[in-house]
Amino acid sequence: MAKHGALLFSYAFSILVFATSLSCKAIDSEDRKTYIVYLGSLPHNEVFSPLSNQIGILERVVQKTSASNFLLTSYKRSFNGFAAKLTEQERERLAGMKEVVSVFPSRIFQLQTTRSWDFLGLNQTAKRNATAESNTIIGVIDSGISPDSESFNDEGFGPAPKKWKGICQGGQNFTCNNKIIGARYYTDAGASDAVGHGTHTASTAAGNPVKDVSFYGLAQGTARGGVPSARIAAYKVCSVSGCPTEAILQGFDDAIADGVDIITISIGAESSAPFQQDPIAIGAFHAMEKGILTLQSAGNSGPEAGSVSSVAPWTLTVAASSTDRRIIDKIVLGNGKTIVGSSVNSFELNGTSFPLVYGKDASSQCVDSDARQCVAGCLDADLVKGKIVLCDQAGGNTEAHQAGALGSILKTSKPDVAFIVPLPASGLGSQDYDVVKSYLKSTKRPRANILKSRAIKDDGAPVVASFSSRGPNQIVPEIIKPDISAPGIDILAAYSTLAPVTGGTEDERRVKYSILSGTSMSCPHVAGVAAYIKTFHPDWSPAAIKSSIMTTAWPVNDTKTSPAEFAYGSGHINPLKAINPGLVFEASKEDYIKFLCSVLDEESVRLISGDSSSCPAGSAKVSPKDLNYPSLAANVNSSTSFKINFHRTVKNVGLPNSTFKANILSSSEVDIKVVPDVLSFKSLNEEKTFDVTVVGRGIPEGSHVSASLVWTDGTHSVRSPILVAA
């Protein structure tokens, strides 16, 4: 589950939105589409000419003719930006400029329902292969599932696919159907979900469309999964107390044998572990052997560097980011000042203002440091009755609720995500929280009101969540983790009526749909996309599906998210592009065995592979960076010059006769060459190899240099991030 936070940053950075299908008439023979180039606020300079500035920026990427021929609209009164007709290559060049906040496609706006899938462009009218989707089985290794949820109704579904080898062993009164075709449990007394987490993730990946759902009127719309016609098999490995290693391995063992096509597991440890000691890496490796891709959440320990816990290269690791729907609430102080906070607050206070008290002034039994934070057992019921309590930590709302306070205002270190509260409450970042504290000290009778939450449009999305775990990969730095970013903030999906809405014992509410945040929510989004790709390419390997997702991702130009690829991997997921990537980076079991030879002893490798695999010796020994991975990374000595060579192979899955040309998007800190820089294919599934050489003078310790390699054939753009760290 996510570590929850509150108030959104001020935005002067990335506005990246997934492209809907647009029919744009090209200005010239190139494939040009309309994009918005956002440059932030207008400079406070009377002599500054926005139009001249914008044309100057455009001229740097448009080579053939006057930039003004492609400029459509100039934004120059309230903010700085422009609309222009751009090629894909020009868009990428603009997105890489330091003065450009973001580049995003023009699209047709309509009244919205589902946010996350529509935001990604995979709406209900998207191209689908209905028969293949119905034959696709997603294995959900989680906290169980709620079979009575409307999201899993089997109306219109035929029998389970013939390839299904599993059973319905849900225990107690659990009943499967033609939507939930299998269930097993390894904790508690049955597969029913008493936590809510498994129901939420399963419905995000493959839930039916259910209209007019909300959380007490918030985020109202249609809840649906990425592949609503797909089948679900639930493997309950978690209870309220956690997810034992042995249960996780049991879940993988059964799911692989049962015949699932995709595994999604939004579970992880607090830190990464060697592959041979990580049950999820172990399970995912053996799933890969059987042609099953495993998707795992990156973890919720961000923004600390090196906090990503899912690091195996055969697993697709998912970071969490925002969508264009943000849930906020407002605090109105007695002096008339209004402050915007974040919480999923479904309550309305009956009145206009109420007494405000600081936690330390509402406790007679705790030391000041604990009372300020509203630590459990600290608040005096007589001192908080009918009042709003100010607490120095986000968890204080539980104590405020149990003590009988009217509401609470909380200080949070995660200011970009709303969280469900058990009473009228709002979370504030430190700066806004200090404003409230200053007001409280300035008057003898401080008062405040907390308004009910509401959803607003956030044009700054997507931005990587503060809680999302970051790289670098602590086990194998040569593999960039996470791999991809997907929606994980304020996600509305099905929930279990057996589970409490919040952790407070006094909160007796039960709901069928709830709003959660975390990399747990982003992972099933990518699982849905992986299943979607498989419906069009049933013979593709896990590596090919993974490659298609990574190489078609939207580049993220988020200057407020550090450290770049260590936060979002290859970028933000782009489902419709992913079904037609052009080229893929394949990797077989044998490739992963060679990779394991670079990090484990030969005996261990043989045991893992189950055959007589031998590892190369001496100079023939491979480096982890030589795995045929869609991203390229290496570690270097900070004090010396370096020359790094990456060897890669790509398979043509686009047009039979095609020629791809290499383009490098890079800073001047490194010199990058690709040999050959042109790949010509004469047939589908033909493979070509190439080498990428990166030369530099040294990088300060603890820093990194990033670039991108983009193969283009006029139709496809196949992008690989390049990351060199010291």
Side-chain angles (χ1 to χ4, degrees):
M1 301 290 288
K3 297 178 181 178
H4 294 97
L7 183 70
L8 186 70
F9 312 97
S10 61
Y11 281 102
F13 48 93
S14 176
I15 299 180
L16 286 166
V17 186
F18 180 81
T20 54
S21 296
L22 297 173
S23 177
C24 296
K25 185 178 179 181
I27 291 179
D28 56 13
S29 59
E30 298 175 275
D31 181 19
R32 292 183 174 274
K33 296 181 180 179
T34 302
Y35 289 87
I36 313 301
V37 183
Y38 175 50
L39 305 173
S41 299
L42 288 167
H44 297 289
N45 183 347
E46 292 182 359
V47 299
F48 178 80
S49 171
L51 182 58
S52 297
N53 171 250
Q54 294 157 14
I55 292 176
I57 291 173
L58 195 54
E59 284 176 341
R60 289 157 60 185
V61 300
V62 177
Q63 305 291 332
K64 295 183 177 180
T65 185
S66 171
S68 59
N69 290 343
F70 302 104
L71 184 69
L72 300 178
T73 307
S74 172
Y75 307 114
K76 52 192 177 185
R77 299 187 64 196
S78 301
F79 57 90
N80 191 9
F82 58 92
K85 291 279 189 178
L86 303 172
T87 65
E88 175 67 13
Q89 185 176 6
E90 289 165 355
R91 185 196 64 76
E92 291 216 30
R93 288 178 178 173
L94 281 167
M97 292 183 179
K98 63 180 182 179
E99 60 264 63
V100 174
V101 177
S102 58
V103 184
F104 57 97
S106 170
R107 57 178 182 158
I108 306 301
F109 281 82
Q110 300 173 338
L111 294 174
Q112 298 292 330
T113 52
T114 307
R115 285 268 32 90
S116 59
W117 287 112
D118 281 348
F119 177 66
L120 293 176
L122 194 59
N123 54 41
Q124 296 189 69
T125 62
K127 178 183 177 183
R128 292 187 181 275
N129 188 333
T131 301
E133 190 169 309
S134 183
N135 287 326
T136 301
I137 306 166
I138 297 181
V140 183
I141 300 179
D142 212 295
S143 64
I145 196 168
S146 297
D148 57 345
S149 172
E150 196 176 349
S151 289
F152 310 124
N153 185 297
D154 70 346
E155 183 178 352
F157 283 80
K162 292 181 180 180
K163 64 184 177 182
W164 173 243
K165 300 175 183 178
I167 59 174
C168 183
Q169 195 176 56
Q172 297 180 338
N173 296 321
F174 192 100
T175 303
C176 293
N177 59 21
N178 287 331
K179 176 68 175 181
I180 303 175
I181 60 174
R184 300 177 187 266
Y185 63 95
Y186 313 98
T187 61
D188 293 340
S192 291
D193 185 11
V195 177
H197 191 272
T199 300
H200 201 278
T201 57
S203 65
T204 299
N208 302 328
V210 183
K211 295 180 179 179
D212 300 324
V213 300
S214 68
F215 180 81
Y216 293 99
L218 290 171
Q220 187 167 4
T222 298
R224 61 182 171 88
V227 278
S229 296
R231 317 302 180 104
I232 295 170
Y235 301 86
K236 183 176 181 179
V237 303
C238 300
S239 64
V240 174
S241 59
C243 315
T245 297
E246 60 271 24
I248 293 171
L249 286 170
Q250 279 182 291
F252 271 104
D253 192 28
D254 284 331
I256 295 166
D258 286 346
V260 303
D261 295 296
I262 299 289
I263 291 175
T264 179
I265 179 165
S266 292
I267 298 169
E270 290 187 1
S271 59
S272 56
F275 304 131
Q276 70 275 28
Q277 298 176 20
D278 181 347
I280 298 175
I282 292 169
F285 181 88
H286 293 291
M288 174 273 300
E289 288 183 299
K290 299 296 184 181
I292 304 165
L293 176 62
T294 299
L295 302 101
Q296 185 186 3
S297 50
N300 299 326
S301 299
E304 288 75 20
S307 56
V308 61
S309 60
S310 172
V311 296
W314 47 83
T315 301
L316 183 50
T317 304
V318 188
S321 52
S322 60
T323 71
D324 60 350
R325 178 177 64 196
R326 179 189 168 210
I327 296 176
I328 65 162
D329 56 20
K330 293 182 178 180
I331 299 167
V332 182
L333 301 179
N335 60 5
K337 186 175 182 61
T338 298
I339 300 175
V340 176
S342 275
S343 71
V344 182
N345 169 35
S346 61
F347 306 99
E348 290 193 62
L349 290 173
N350 186 21
T352 56
S353 68
F354 308 89
L356 181 64
V357 62
Y358 194 16
K360 78 176 185 65
D361 299 322
S363 177
S364 57
Q365 60 267 33
C366 289
V367 297
D368 277 4
S369 58
D370 288 345
R372 284 189 172 110
Q373 297 184 63
C374 305
V375 171
C378 281
L379 296 181
D380 190 319
D382 293 333
L383 297 177
V384 299
K385 184 177 181 180
K387 298 177 182 178
I388 295 172
V389 186
L390 200 61
C391 302
D392 282 0
Q393 58 104 8
N397 60 13
T398 300
E399 169 63 8
H401 188 222
Q402 292 179 346
L406 186 67
S408 58
I409 298 173
L410 315 164
K411 182 179 181 179
T412 177
S413 61
K414 308 294 183 186
D416 55 344
V417 55
F419 53 95
I420 297 176
V421 291
L423 76 170
S426 183
L428 299 176
S430 57
Q431 186 173 351
D432 285 319
Y433 185 78
D434 288 342
V435 171
V436 179
K437 283 180 67 173
S438 296
Y439 161 71
L440 183 142
K441 295 175 182 178
S442 70
T443 178
K444 293 181 179 180
R445 294 183 178 180
R447 297 180 70 85
N449 192 11
I450 301 172
L451 306 184
K452 183 178 179 179
S453 294
R454 63 187 181 92
I456 64 170
K457 184 168 174 48
D458 177 12
D459 286 330
V463 176
V464 177
S466 60
F467 59 74
S468 187
S469 292
R470 267 66 165 173
N473 184 334
Q474 296 294 296
I475 303 301
V476 185
E478 295 85 354
I479 302 295
I480 299 174
K481 289 289 181 170
D483 292 303
I484 200 78
S485 169
I489 295 179
D490 301 344
I491 304 301
L492 177 72
Y495 201 67
S496 172
T497 55
L498 299 176
V501 172
T502 63
T505 58
E506 304 297 319
D507 192 346
E508 298 180 354
R509 293 177 296 170
R510 295 293 185 270
V511 296
K512 295 181 179 180
Y513 291 85
S514 191
I515 297 170
L516 300 180
S517 297
T519 54
S520 285
M521 283 65 253
S522 57
C523 181
H525 276 93
V526 185
V529 174
Y532 179 68
I533 295 168
K534 196 169 182 67
T535 65
F536 291 96
H537 307 286
D539 58 337
W540 277 14
S541 69
I545 295 173
K546 179 176 181 176
S547 173
S548 68
I549 290 172
M550 292 173 64
T551 60
T552 58
W554 278 104
V556 177
N557 182 33
D558 178 3
T559 57
K560 293 285 182 78
T561 297
S562 180
E565 287 82 2
F566 288 139
Y568 47 74
S570 293
H572 196 260
I573 193 166
N574 188 338
L576 296 184
K577 287 283 188 181
I579 63 173
N580 184 21
L583 303 174
V584 294
F585 293 79
E586 277 284 13
S588 64
K589 175 187 173 181
E590 290 71 27
D591 293 317
Y592 292 121
I593 292 297
K594 291 178 183 177
F595 165 83
L596 285 174
C597 283
S598 68
V599 294
L600 298 176
D601 61 85
E602 186 170 276
E603 183 178 356
S604 296
V605 171
R606 284 181 178 177
L607 290 172
I608 292 170
S609 67
D611 56 31
S612 58
S613 299
S614 61
C615 293
S619 60
K621 190 171 183 178
V622 299
S623 165
K625 71 176 176 59
D626 293 324
L627 178 67
N628 199 42
Y629 211 66
S631 57
L632 293 74
N635 265 27
V636 298
N637 189 312
S638 62
S639 60
T640 60
S641 299
F642 59 85
K643 181 178 181 180
I644 306 165
N645 185 71
F646 298 96
H647 184 73
R648 291 292 188 268
T649 300
V650 287
K651 178 192 286 188
N652 179 29
V653 295
L655 302 173
N657 290 292
S658 57
T659 299
F660 284 81
K661 296 181 180 180
N663 294 286
I664 293 293
L665 306 176
S666 174
S667 66
S668 59
E669 297 172 278
V670 292
D671 180 46
I672 302 175
K673 292 184 179 179
V674 183
V675 178
D677 61 358
V678 176
L679 302 177
S680 294
F681 298 91
K682 299 186 183 303
S683 63
L684 287 176
N685 298 318
E686 183 182 356
E687 294 186 339
K688 296 285 185 179
T689 62
F690 63 91
D691 289 281
V692 178
T693 303
V694 184
V695 178
R697 297 182 178 179
I699 302 171
E701 187 173 355
S703 65
H704 65 275
V705 174
S706 61
S708 292
L709 164 63
V710 184
W711 290 101
T712 57
D713 67 347
T715 300
H716 306 92
S717 290
V718 186
R719 187 174 62 89
S720 293
I722 302 171
L723 190 66
V724 179

